[in-house]
Amino acid sequence: MLNRRHIRVKVMQTLYAYKGGESDDFSKDQKFLLFSIDNMYNLYLLLISLLIEVQKRAENDLEKKQKKHLPTKEDTNPNKKFVNNQLLKLLKENFQLNNLFETHQVRNWELDNEYVDLIFKSILASDLYAEYMKTRVSDFKEDKDFIVDVFKDIIAPNNKLYDYLEDKNLTWLDDLPTVNTTILKLLRKAKLNSDDGYFTPKLYKDLDDKQFAIDLFRKTLLNRSAINKEIDGKTQNWDSERIANIDYILLQMAICELKNFPSIPVKVTMNEYLEIAKEYSTPKSSIFINGILDKLVKEYEEAGSLKKVGRGLI
């Protein structure tokens, strides 16, 4: 689920909030970094559980209509295509997923059920739903395609849901694109016989990614004085107060990565921090950062101090 760029963003945010020096104890900040990353999984579970709660809401709606004092013909013989959607049933009956809901205490929609109602009504009012409900039966592919479209076109772009997530956890806004992409990928590739662990992906691709987050954070802090001297040497014509704080942190991280992570290619490091700068800093930041890093890389190469291994040589 988690990619290296998102890890770099999390490290950047933690460094931005850090107020101590390189000799101070930053174990609490490291714990905050890992907690912030782990909390991304709670967002994944929350959005997956929303799909399940919408299905339950549809089920309850049908039951209420059938119990009306004077039910209509449609009330007594409703189209249960949405309620019986096979992909939603897979999610609802997934044992490992339900265990994780309990472990992570994902119970938001019990208290904030108005958002379930909001999404449910948006689905009912959509052309997607009208088209889907024209028939009473469907195969797994049609059910899956419908839920993929519902998530992509109704749930993911919903502004009120976005505001709700922002209120619950500010860092979730940075996680949202990655989590939404993960959910869509899983929904698109789901099969009727998907195993029980299919909808419970790992947060980290492997243990190396988690260690990368810790090492990048620690090594950037521990080498900050030396790194700052290198930055200052290349920004003598710049007013230090005019250099955006985010740019300075991204430069610190990029230089640390160039010098202390031999398996990561230079081009990968350069491209990653330029892309992060475009998203999180000023319009001209990527040009500024590229200029500084380009000069430093040439100096490292001339001095033979850029030690890269394997395919990361260039």
Side-chain angles (χ1 to χ4, degrees):
M1 182 189 296
L2 194 63
N3 58 50
R4 285 285 179 101
R5 181 177 299 173
H6 204 68
I7 290 173
R8 290 179 176 96
V9 169
K10 290 290 187 183
V11 173
M12 174 197 76
Q13 291 169 336
T14 308
L15 289 171
Y16 184 82
Y18 181 71
K19 302 303 179 186
E22 65 185 20
S23 61
D24 294 333
D25 177 22
F26 46 81
S27 57
K28 287 184 179 179
D29 300 272
Q30 181 177 308
K31 285 180 181 177
F32 173 78
L33 167 65
L34 295 178
F35 172 78
S36 176
I37 294 173
D38 289 343
N39 204 30
M40 178 178 169
Y41 207 83
N42 288 330
L43 176 61
Y44 166 77
L45 292 173
L46 187 63
L47 291 176
I48 281 287
S49 69
L50 178 58
L51 282 170
I52 296 170
E53 292 304 318
V54 166
Q55 189 274 344
K56 290 178 182 177
R57 173 68 175 79
E59 220 165 31
N60 291 336
D61 191 58
L62 286 188
E63 288 176 6
K64 286 179 181 178
K65 287 179 178 177
Q66 289 176 327
K67 291 177 181 178
K68 285 192 328 188
H69 181 59
L70 294 172
T72 65
K73 184 178 179 181
E74 176 60 26
D75 292 336
T76 56
N77 185 30
N79 186 345
K80 296 184 177 181
K81 190 175 177 181
F82 181 39
V83 168
N84 293 331
N85 183 283
Q86 295 171 82
L87 180 53
L88 292 181
K89 280 194 167 186
L90 269 185
L91 291 171
K92 186 179 179 181
E93 296 167 3
N94 188 288
F95 179 74
Q96 289 189 30
L97 199 51
N98 281 294
N99 274 349
L100 283 177
F101 292 152
E102 286 300 316
T103 303
H104 290 255
Q105 297 184 331
V106 180
R107 302 189 182 98
N108 296 56
W109 308 126
E110 292 176 14
L111 297 173
D112 303 318
N113 56 14
E114 67 267 26
Y115 292 94
V116 177
D117 198 52
L118 172 75
I119 296 299
F120 176 63
K121 288 179 178 178
S122 296
I123 293 170
L124 294 190
S126 69
D127 292 336
L128 280 173
Y129 182 81
E131 185 64 29
Y132 177 67
M133 297 297 282
K134 281 183 178 179
T135 60
R136 286 180 169 251
V137 293
S138 57
D139 58 16
F140 184 76
K141 184 181 183 306
E142 185 185 352
D143 284 351
K144 179 173 70 172
D145 290 344
F146 172 66
I147 297 304
V148 167
D149 288 339
V150 163
F151 190 86
K152 178 170 58 75
D153 298 337
I154 296 175
I155 295 177
N158 189 281
N159 289 327
K160 290 184 178 179
L161 183 61
Y162 181 91
D163 291 341
Y164 170 78
L165 296 174
E166 182 180 22
D167 288 341
K168 288 296 177 184
N169 193 314
L170 191 58
T171 64
W172 275 351
L173 298 189
D174 291 313
D175 300 334
L176 199 54
T178 301
V179 170
N180 282 342
T181 299
T182 298
I183 291 175
L184 278 173
K185 184 178 178 181
L186 288 172
L187 293 176
R188 284 188 177 118
K189 293 187 176 182
K191 296 178 181 178
L192 191 55
N193 60 350
S194 293
D195 63 64
D196 211 42
Y198 178 77
F199 287 108
T200 54
K202 293 180 180 178
L203 177 59
Y204 294 97
K205 184 176 65 177
D206 50 45
L207 290 177
D208 288 345
D209 277 356
K210 183 173 184 178
Q211 194 59 48
F212 171 70
I214 295 169
D215 290 345
L216 182 59
F217 174 69
R218 291 180 64 85
K219 289 179 180 182
T220 301
L221 278 182
L222 290 171
N223 295 285
R224 198 156 61 166
S225 294
I227 292 172
N228 288 349
K229 286 181 181 179
E230 295 201 49
I231 296 173
D232 293 343
K234 292 289 175 287
T235 56
Q236 292 174 348
N237 297 326
W238 290 76
D239 182 352
S240 60
E241 293 183 359
R242 293 183 63 190
I243 301 175
N245 289 339
I246 291 293
D247 293 356
Y248 215 91
I249 291 169
L250 291 177
L251 281 170
Q252 290 172 339
M253 291 171 63
I255 293 168
C256 175
E257 195 172 303
L258 286 168
K259 301 188 79 173
N260 296 287
F261 293 81
S263 64
I264 301 177
V266 171
K267 284 184 179 179
V268 170
T269 296
M270 296 276 284
N271 290 339
E272 287 291 277
Y273 287 100
L274 294 182
E275 290 303 313
I276 293 171
K278 288 176 185 176
E279 186 172 354
Y280 288 92
S281 198
T282 68
K284 295 183 179 179
S285 290
S286 61
I287 299 171
F288 167 70
I289 290 172
N290 184 61
I292 303 299
L293 293 180
D294 195 51
K295 290 176 185 177
L296 286 171
V297 166
K298 287 176 182 176
E299 287 185 9
Y300 297 155
E301 288 174 340
E302 289 172 4
S305 61
L306 198 61
K307 306 296 182 183
K308 294 291 179 179
V309 296
R311 290 182 297 173
L313 210 53
I314 308 178

